Short mmCIF file of all heavy atoms in Angstrom, two decimals:
data_model
loop_
_atom_site.label_atom_id
_atom_site.label_comp_id
_atom_site.label_asym_id
_atom_site.label_seq_id
_atom_site.Cartn_x
_atom_site.Cartn_y
_atom_site.Cartn_z
N VAL A 11 0.87 -1.14 -0.01
CA VAL A 11 -0.03 -0.04 -0.01
C VAL A 11 0.88 1.24 -0.05
O VAL A 11 0.53 2.28 -0.56
CB VAL A 11 -0.97 -0.03 1.18
CG1 VAL A 11 -1.61 1.34 1.41
CG2 VAL A 11 -2.09 -1.10 1.03
N LEU A 12 2.05 1.20 0.65
CA LEU A 12 2.88 2.35 0.71
C LEU A 12 3.61 2.67 -0.58
O LEU A 12 4.33 3.69 -0.69
CB LEU A 12 3.88 2.17 1.77
CG LEU A 12 3.46 2.34 3.23
CD1 LEU A 12 4.45 1.99 4.29
CD2 LEU A 12 2.79 3.68 3.44
N VAL A 13 3.39 1.80 -1.64
CA VAL A 13 3.89 2.28 -2.99
C VAL A 13 3.10 3.46 -3.35
O VAL A 13 3.74 4.28 -4.11
CB VAL A 13 3.59 1.01 -3.89
CG1 VAL A 13 3.84 1.48 -5.40
CG2 VAL A 13 4.46 -0.15 -3.59
N LYS A 14 1.86 3.69 -3.03
CA LYS A 14 1.15 4.88 -3.25
C LYS A 14 0.69 5.37 -1.90
O LYS A 14 -0.40 5.23 -1.46
CB LYS A 14 -0.11 4.59 -4.08
CG LYS A 14 0.21 4.19 -5.54
CD LYS A 14 0.93 5.36 -6.33
CE LYS A 14 1.18 5.01 -7.74
NZ LYS A 14 1.83 6.00 -8.54
N PRO A 15 1.56 6.09 -1.15
CA PRO A 15 1.32 6.47 0.31
C PRO A 15 0.28 7.58 0.42
O PRO A 15 0.32 8.51 -0.37
CB PRO A 15 2.70 6.87 0.77
CG PRO A 15 3.41 7.37 -0.44
CD PRO A 15 2.96 6.43 -1.53
N ARG A 16 -0.54 7.41 1.41
CA ARG A 16 -1.51 8.46 1.87
C ARG A 16 -1.97 8.16 3.29
O ARG A 16 -1.86 7.04 3.66
CB ARG A 16 -2.65 8.66 0.95
CG ARG A 16 -3.57 7.51 0.76
CD ARG A 16 -4.65 7.78 -0.18
NE ARG A 16 -5.58 6.59 -0.44
CZ ARG A 16 -6.54 6.28 0.35
NH1 ARG A 16 -6.86 7.07 1.41
NH2 ARG A 16 -7.31 5.22 -0.02
N MET A 17 -2.50 9.17 4.00
CA MET A 17 -2.98 8.88 5.31
C MET A 17 -4.17 8.00 5.13
O MET A 17 -5.07 8.23 4.29
CB MET A 17 -3.30 10.12 5.99
CG MET A 17 -2.14 10.88 6.46
SD MET A 17 -1.16 10.18 7.87
CE MET A 17 -2.39 10.62 9.20
N ARG A 18 -4.38 6.93 6.06
CA ARG A 18 -5.44 5.98 6.00
C ARG A 18 -6.39 6.23 7.15
O ARG A 18 -6.19 6.88 8.06
CB ARG A 18 -4.82 4.63 6.04
CG ARG A 18 -3.81 4.30 4.92
CD ARG A 18 -4.51 4.13 3.60
NE ARG A 18 -3.46 4.15 2.54
CZ ARG A 18 -3.88 3.88 1.27
NH1 ARG A 18 -5.14 3.57 0.95
NH2 ARG A 18 -2.85 3.71 0.33
N SER A 19 -7.59 5.56 7.02
CA SER A 19 -8.59 5.68 8.02
C SER A 19 -8.24 5.02 9.41
O SER A 19 -7.24 4.30 9.44
CB SER A 19 -9.90 4.99 7.52
OG SER A 19 -9.71 3.62 7.43
N PHE A 20 -8.95 5.33 10.45
CA PHE A 20 -8.73 4.63 11.68
C PHE A 20 -8.84 3.25 11.58
O PHE A 20 -8.00 2.47 12.21
CB PHE A 20 -9.70 5.32 12.75
CG PHE A 20 -9.66 4.52 14.07
CD1 PHE A 20 -8.69 4.84 14.94
CD2 PHE A 20 -10.58 3.54 14.36
CE1 PHE A 20 -8.49 4.20 16.20
CE2 PHE A 20 -10.51 2.93 15.56
CZ PHE A 20 -9.55 3.22 16.45
N ALA A 21 -9.77 2.67 10.88
CA ALA A 21 -9.95 1.31 10.79
C ALA A 21 -8.80 0.54 10.11
O ALA A 21 -8.35 -0.36 10.56
CB ALA A 21 -11.24 0.98 9.92
N TYR A 22 -8.20 1.18 9.09
CA TYR A 22 -7.08 0.59 8.45
C TYR A 22 -5.90 0.61 9.32
O TYR A 22 -5.19 -0.38 9.43
CB TYR A 22 -6.78 1.34 7.08
CG TYR A 22 -5.58 0.86 6.34
CD1 TYR A 22 -5.68 -0.21 5.50
CD2 TYR A 22 -4.35 1.34 6.60
CE1 TYR A 22 -4.64 -0.70 4.81
CE2 TYR A 22 -3.14 0.89 5.97
CZ TYR A 22 -3.31 -0.20 5.10
OH TYR A 22 -2.24 -0.72 4.51
N ARG A 23 -5.72 1.78 10.07
CA ARG A 23 -4.53 1.77 10.87
C ARG A 23 -4.65 0.79 12.08
O ARG A 23 -3.59 0.13 12.42
CB ARG A 23 -4.48 3.19 11.41
CG ARG A 23 -3.98 4.23 10.39
CD ARG A 23 -3.63 5.57 10.97
NE ARG A 23 -4.89 6.31 11.31
CZ ARG A 23 -5.31 6.60 12.42
NH1 ARG A 23 -4.49 6.18 13.66
NH2 ARG A 23 -6.36 7.23 12.74
N ALA A 24 -5.88 0.62 12.55
CA ALA A 24 -6.05 -0.43 13.66
C ALA A 24 -5.90 -1.79 13.25
O ALA A 24 -5.52 -2.73 13.96
CB ALA A 24 -7.49 -0.05 14.27
N LEU A 25 -6.37 -2.14 12.05
CA LEU A 25 -6.42 -3.49 11.55
C LEU A 25 -5.23 -3.85 10.75
O LEU A 25 -4.81 -5.00 10.61
CB LEU A 25 -7.66 -3.71 10.61
CG LEU A 25 -8.99 -3.59 11.41
CD1 LEU A 25 -10.13 -3.83 10.44
CD2 LEU A 25 -9.11 -4.75 12.52
N VAL A 26 -4.48 -2.87 10.14
CA VAL A 26 -3.32 -3.17 9.26
C VAL A 26 -2.05 -2.54 9.76
O VAL A 26 -1.08 -3.16 10.20
CB VAL A 26 -3.68 -2.83 7.88
CG1 VAL A 26 -2.49 -3.07 7.01
CG2 VAL A 26 -4.88 -3.58 7.31
N SER A 27 -2.02 -1.12 9.78
CA SER A 27 -0.78 -0.49 9.96
C SER A 27 -0.08 -0.80 11.32
O SER A 27 1.10 -1.07 11.42
CB SER A 27 -1.00 1.12 9.92
OG SER A 27 -1.48 1.48 8.57
N ILE A 28 -0.92 -0.61 12.41
CA ILE A 28 -0.35 -0.88 13.75
C ILE A 28 0.01 -2.29 14.08
O ILE A 28 1.18 -2.67 14.49
CB ILE A 28 -1.23 -0.22 14.80
CG1 ILE A 28 -1.28 1.22 14.64
CG2 ILE A 28 -0.79 -0.61 16.28
CD1 ILE A 28 -2.23 2.02 15.55
N PRO A 29 -0.96 -3.22 13.71
CA PRO A 29 -0.49 -4.71 13.92
C PRO A 29 0.63 -5.09 12.97
O PRO A 29 1.45 -5.91 13.40
CB PRO A 29 -1.80 -5.50 13.72
CG PRO A 29 -2.74 -4.47 13.05
CD PRO A 29 -2.34 -3.12 13.42
N ALA A 30 0.65 -4.54 11.80
CA ALA A 30 1.81 -4.85 10.90
C ALA A 30 3.16 -4.39 11.50
O ALA A 30 4.16 -5.03 11.48
CB ALA A 30 1.63 -4.29 9.53
N SER A 31 3.19 -3.22 12.10
CA SER A 31 4.31 -2.70 12.68
C SER A 31 4.72 -3.51 13.91
O SER A 31 5.95 -3.81 14.10
CB SER A 31 4.09 -1.20 13.17
OG SER A 31 3.95 -0.41 12.08
N TYR A 32 3.72 -3.96 14.69
CA TYR A 32 4.02 -4.83 15.86
C TYR A 32 4.59 -6.17 15.37
O TYR A 32 5.61 -6.49 16.00
CB TYR A 32 2.60 -5.14 16.59
CG TYR A 32 2.69 -6.43 17.37
CD1 TYR A 32 3.35 -6.35 18.57
CD2 TYR A 32 2.04 -7.64 16.93
CE1 TYR A 32 3.41 -7.55 19.32
CE2 TYR A 32 2.19 -8.76 17.63
CZ TYR A 32 2.81 -8.75 18.92
OH TYR A 32 2.92 -9.92 19.63
N PHE A 33 4.08 -6.83 14.43
CA PHE A 33 4.57 -8.12 13.95
C PHE A 33 5.94 -8.03 13.32
O PHE A 33 6.85 -8.82 13.49
CB PHE A 33 3.58 -8.79 13.05
CG PHE A 33 3.93 -10.26 12.92
CD1 PHE A 33 3.80 -11.19 13.97
CD2 PHE A 33 4.29 -10.75 11.69
CE1 PHE A 33 4.11 -12.50 13.91
CE2 PHE A 33 4.51 -12.08 11.50
CZ PHE A 33 4.47 -13.03 12.68
N ALA A 34 6.11 -6.89 12.51
CA ALA A 34 7.38 -6.71 11.90
C ALA A 34 8.56 -6.43 12.96
O ALA A 34 9.63 -6.99 12.82
CB ALA A 34 7.38 -5.51 10.95
#
């Protein structure tokens, strides 16, 4: 998704961005 970066919704950050950072 960061190939075309932009600020995402709260739902996306809660379900994807933050847990992805955690697991990485």
Side-chain angles (χ1 to χ4, degrees):
V11 166
L12 287 176
V13 169
K14 294 292 184 182
R16 63 179 177 85
M17 287 290 282
R18 303 288 169 173
S19 66
F20 172 79
Y22 179 86
R23 288 185 289 111
L25 295 174
V26 177
S27 298
I28 293 174
S31 296
Y32 159 75
F33 195 63

